Structures are given as C-alpha cells and as structure tokens.
Amino acid sequence: MTGRIPDAARLLPWTGPEGKPCYVIGDGTGHVSRIADGTESVQLAMAAELLDHAADMLDDRQLTAAQLRYVVARMAESLRDVHRIAESRGERLAALGAGPEG
C-alpha cells in the first residue's frame, strides 16, 4: 500500500488566473502532482532563505523604510505560500485519517 488516496483532490501550491484555488484529482503520483511537489519544495526553501535575510536585516541599524516595506511584502507572499502548503498537506492527512480532523 502506498498511503495514497485514489482520486483525492489536492490543493495545488498556485492559484488560477483569477486567484481561485487550483486542485488536481488523482493518486498523487502523476505529472501535475510531481510539479506541485517540486513547487512546494522551492517555496519552502525560499521561505527559509527569507527568514535568514529578515534576521540579518533586523541587525542593520541603517535599514530604510523602503527596505523594510519590501521585505515585509516578500514575507507576506511567502507566508501565503507556506499557509497554502500547510492547508494542502493537512487536507491530505485528514483524508488518510492521520490528521487532527481524522
């Protein structure tokens, strides 16, 4: 057994043109699922790098308001991505009966 739910809907780590959620139906082994896995991996790595960058910026006493606004905007984007990943993974765990809702 692979631990996958056949024909389960997976929330993808991107939105459609109008900002609506995108889903893929399948067992999690198809081409779109593999692209989604890769995208999630990149998004999580970028979030970790952004956290390091923000920590470095906090030590900079000459930080400008524009620099601060820029990093906060990037952090908001990153948090949105990480939240979507957590939501997607939580839904999949719940479908397996392994999550807090299952």
Side-chain angles (χ1 to χ4, degrees), residues 1-101:
M1 179 168 199
T2 64
R4 304 253 187 216
I5 301 293
D7 299 322
R10 174 186 180 173
L11 177 64
L12 295 172
W14 56 79
T15 59
E18 297 175 356
K20 294 182 180 178
C22 292
Y23 293 87
V24 64
I25 305 295
D27 65 359
T29 62
H31 181 70
V32 174
S33 292
R34 288 191 306 274
I35 291 172
D37 290 342
T39 300
E40 287 179 355
S41 180
V42 168
Q43 289 172 328
L44 292 171
M46 289 174 62
E49 289 177 20
L50 183 57
L51 283 170
D52 289 342
H53 181 63
D56 290 342
M57 290 182 78
L58 290 173
D59 292 334
D60 184 355
R61 297 287 180 206
Q62 296 181 19
L63 185 68
T64 67
Q67 290 171 314
L68 184 58
R69 279 192 301 274
Y70 181 82
V71 78
V72 168
R74 301 298 72 81
M75 289 179 80
E77 291 169 358
S78 182
L79 183 57
R80 194 174 300 113
D81 291 342
V82 170
H83 180 266
R84 179 179 292 280
I85 292 167
E87 184 179 358
S88 176
R89 291 181 181 184
E91 288 172 359
R92 287 182 278 156
L93 284 173
L96 288 170
E101 299 172 12

